[in-house]
Amino acid sequence: MMWPRWRAIATSAASPEKGQGGTDVVFKRRNPRTYFRTLLEAFWPRGGWTRAFHYVKHRIRRLPDRPDRIARGVGAGVFISFTPFFGFHFIGSVVLAKLFRGNVLAALLGTFFGNPLTTPIIAITSLKFGNWMLGTKFDEGDHASIAGRFVGAAEDLKHNFFAIFNADVTQWQNLIYFWNDIVVPYFIGGFIPGIVAAVISYYLSEPVIAAYQKHRRKKLKERFEKLKARLHARTEEPQENG
């Protein structure tokens, strides 16, 4: 009986490739990335930032939505990049996109504006502008003080987390310093530049996306007409031969 043999062949063909130890390797890298490589590519993507920028631009243009909604999503993502809520930019961009009826995926892609190359520039500019608006002084050369505020806030968060499970007293002093010296001036100083950048992003991306979608529809229509003509020619050939 040939059925068991054919069944074994079909099963082996449909099953994913096995690596050493019997693990599936279909969706795994041939050469797994090390932690150092992963960290390095977070600051310098494989292929460079130019290639990453073109990839994001390509993905935004091909989103299946109206150009104005996509542009509003991009603006939301760009604006949220000017806020000091690191780690919550994706969530913030989604909220803003829904609030302004923009495309959520475009908003997520728009947060690419705040990358490791632009974030230091945004941060220094926002802190200087925010301190100027608040009437305080900010020295961009005092990196130790800025880093110290982040380290102190992280220490308080860690201490307060473990204080939930033991008898330690919670500490808030470093978090208060971090809020007053970093978060507040950063948010105030980044608000206006963020709005300006978001508006510029909207008015630049909307016509580009609209032109791209129009060109793409034209190309698809031309391709459809060629296919239609080819099929029509094939159906006419038997009649002529007959």
Side-chain angles (χ1 to χ4, degrees):
M1 186 175 180
M2 298 298 293
W3 167 245
R5 182 182 176 185
W6 285 108
R7 183 178 181 182
I9 295 174
T11 303
S12 62
S15 61
E17 182 184 351
K18 299 289 184 179
Q20 293 182 355
T23 57
D24 297 342
V25 295
V26 172
F27 299 107
K28 291 185 178 180
R29 291 175 174 267
R30 180 172 299 177
N31 298 316
R33 290 188 303 179
T34 62
Y35 290 110
F36 175 76
R37 183 65 185 177
T38 302
L39 180 63
L40 180 64
E41 290 186 3
F43 291 90
W44 190 263
R46 193 174 182 179
W49 282 106
T50 302
R51 181 179 179 183
F53 169 77
H54 286 297
Y55 172 78
V56 172
K57 181 181 69 174
H58 176 72
R59 295 302 303 169
I60 289 176
R61 290 190 307 180
R62 293 180 67 90
L63 288 174
D65 205 346
R66 299 200 316 267
D68 59 314
R69 282 178 50 83
I70 297 174
R72 284 198 295 268
V74 172
V78 170
F79 172 80
I80 212 69
S81 300
F82 283 80
T83 64
F85 307 122
F86 303 108
F88 298 95
H89 282 177
F90 277 1
I91 298 175
S93 65
V94 170
V95 173
L96 283 180
K98 288 184 175 294
L99 183 63
F100 290 98
R101 297 181 180 179
N103 185 280
V104 172
L105 291 178
L108 294 175
L109 292 170
T111 59
F112 174 81
F113 187 86
N115 56 72
L117 295 181
T118 60
T119 296
I121 301 174
I122 294 173
I124 296 299
T125 303
S126 299
L127 285 171
K128 290 185 67 175
F129 189 45
N131 278 276
W132 176 78
M133 293 182 66
L134 293 171
T136 54
K137 186 178 179 181
F138 172 72
D139 183 10
E140 64 271 21
D142 192 6
H143 300 295
S145 177
I146 299 175
R149 290 289 182 258
F150 279 93
V151 172
E155 290 177 349
D156 274 7
L157 287 174
K158 178 181 177 181
H159 175 83
N160 293 344
F161 174 77
F162 286 107
I164 299 174
F165 308 100
N166 54 45
D168 290 345
V169 179
T170 56
Q171 298 177 1
W172 300 97
Q173 194 64 40
N174 288 325
L175 285 170
I176 293 174
Y177 286 147
F178 178 76
W179 179 266
N180 292 332
D181 297 345
I182 302 295
V183 175
V184 173
Y186 194 129
F187 183 78
I188 293 176
F191 189 81
I192 295 178
I195 291 179
V196 172
V199 171
I200 293 175
S201 299
Y202 172 83
Y203 282 106
L204 287 179
S205 59
E206 198 273 338
V208 172
I209 295 169
Y212 175 81
Q213 290 184 352
K214 182 179 179 180
H215 176 73
R216 191 160 181 260
R217 286 194 298 268
K218 181 180 178 181
K219 296 292 289 186
L220 289 174
K221 184 178 180 181
E222 291 176 354
R223 189 179 303 173
F224 175 76
E225 293 296 336
K226 289 181 180 179
L227 180 61
K228 184 178 178 182
R230 190 180 304 170
L231 293 175
H232 181 72
R234 287 183 179 179
T235 56
E236 291 293 332
E237 287 179 0
Q239 297 179 4
E240 293 178 357
N241 294 333

